[in-house]
C-alpha cells in the first residue's frame, strides 16, 4: 500500500481482497466502513504524523464515527486497487467532518462524509480536540503537510 498527501488531501491505495467481498466478488458494503477507519489510522500516522496507536493506548482517546453519510456509486471488485481519499470539511470543538472518496482511476465508487468525535476512554464522553491534534488538523487543511508517495 502507498500513501500520499497533496495539498489538503490524503491518498491511500487499497487492494480489494477476497475478505472484503461478497459471493458476487464485489465489496460487501460494511467493509467500506472498516476501510474508512483504516484510512483514518493511516492518515494520522503518515500525514498528521501522530501515532494513532499511542493516541488510543497512551492518551486514552478515541475517534469514533458518530455520523456517516455514504453514496455507493459503483461496485468495486476483487483484485482492483482503489484509491481512498480523505479531506477535512470542518474542524469543530470536539468533532471533525471528513470527506472520503473511493476511486478506481477517475471513476468515483464511493462518496462519504464522516463525523468523528474525540472521545475520552476515561470519562466515556466527547472531549475537546487536543491542541496538538488541532494544530496538525489545521496545518493539513491549509496544505502545509505535503508528503510524497511512500510505502505504508
Amino acid at each position: 500500500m502507498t500513501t500520499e498527501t497533496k495539498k489538503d488531501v490524503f491518498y491511500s491505495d487499497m487492494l480489494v481482497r477476497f475478505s472484503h467481498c461478497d459471493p458476487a466478488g464485489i465489496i460487501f458494503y460494511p467493509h467500506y466502513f472498516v476501510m474508512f477507519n483504516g484510512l483514518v489510522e493511516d492518515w494520522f500516522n503518515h500525514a498528521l504524523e501522530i501515532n494513532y496507536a499511542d493516541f488510543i493506548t497512551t492518551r486514552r482517546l478515541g475517534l469514533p464515527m458518530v455520523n456517516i453519510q455514504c453514496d455507493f456509486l459503483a461496485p468495486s471488485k476483487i483484485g482492483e486497487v482503489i484509491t481512498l481519499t480523505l479531506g477535512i470539511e470542518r474542524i469543530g470543538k470536539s468533532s471533525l467532518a471528513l470527506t472520503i472518496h473511493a476511486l478506481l482511476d477517475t471513476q468515483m465508487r464511493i462518496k462519504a462524509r464522516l463525523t468523528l468525535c474525540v472521545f475520552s476512554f476515561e470519562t466515556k464522553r466527547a472531549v475537546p480536540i487536543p491542541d496538538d491534534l488541532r494544530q496538525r488538523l489545521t496545518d493539513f487543511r491549509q496544505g502545509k503537510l505535503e508528503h510524497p508517495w511512500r510505502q505504508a
Side-chain angles (χ1 to χ4, degrees), residues 56-85:
I56 300 290
T57 60
T58 303
R59 295 174 75 170
R60 307 287 298 145
L61 297 172
L63 282 171
M65 295 178 207
V66 296
N67 186 284
I68 302 170
Q69 299 168 2
C70 194
D71 293 322
F72 298 91
L73 305 172
S76 295
K77 300 173 185 138
I78 188 170
E80 294 178 335
V81 177
I82 57 175
T83 300
L84 300 177
T85 69

Side-chain angles (χ1 to χ4, degrees), residues 4 12 15 27 48 57 61 64 69-70 73 90 133:
E4 179 180 24
S12 182
L15 174 65
I27 293 180
L48 300 180
T57 60
L61 297 172
Q69 299 168 2
C70 194
L73 305 172
R90 179 189 57 76
L133 176 56

Side-chain angles (χ1 to χ4, degrees), residues 2 12 19 38 45 59 64 74 82 100 102 121 126-127 132:
T2 56
S12 182
S19 62
N45 291 324
R59 295 174 75 170
I82 57 175
I100 293 180
F121 294 144
V127 295
D132 65 319

Side-chain angles (χ1 to χ4, degrees), residues 15 22 25 28 49 58 78 103 122 124 126 134 141 150:
L15 174 65
D22 63 16
F28 180 49
E49 297 179 328
T58 303
I78 188 170
L103 307 158
E122 305 306 324
K124 309 288 189 258
R134 179 175 298 281
R141 194 171 189 199
R150 63 171 97 170

Side-chain angles (χ1 to χ4, degrees), residues 27-57:
I27 293 180
F28 180 49
Y29 70 93
H31 285 284
Y32 272 113
F33 303 125
V34 175
M35 290 177 182
F36 296 165
N37 193 73
L39 179 66
V40 169
E41 288 187 44
D42 291 343
W43 174 56
F44 257 65
N45 291 324
H46 300 291
L48 300 180
E49 297 179 328
I50 293 175
N51 185 301
Y52 191 80
D54 286 346
F55 192 77
I56 300 290
T57 60

Side-chain angles (χ1 to χ4, degrees), residues 26 30 33 38-39 73 91 97 99 110:
I26 61 175
F33 303 125
L39 179 66
L73 305 172
I91 303 170
T99 302
I110 296 283

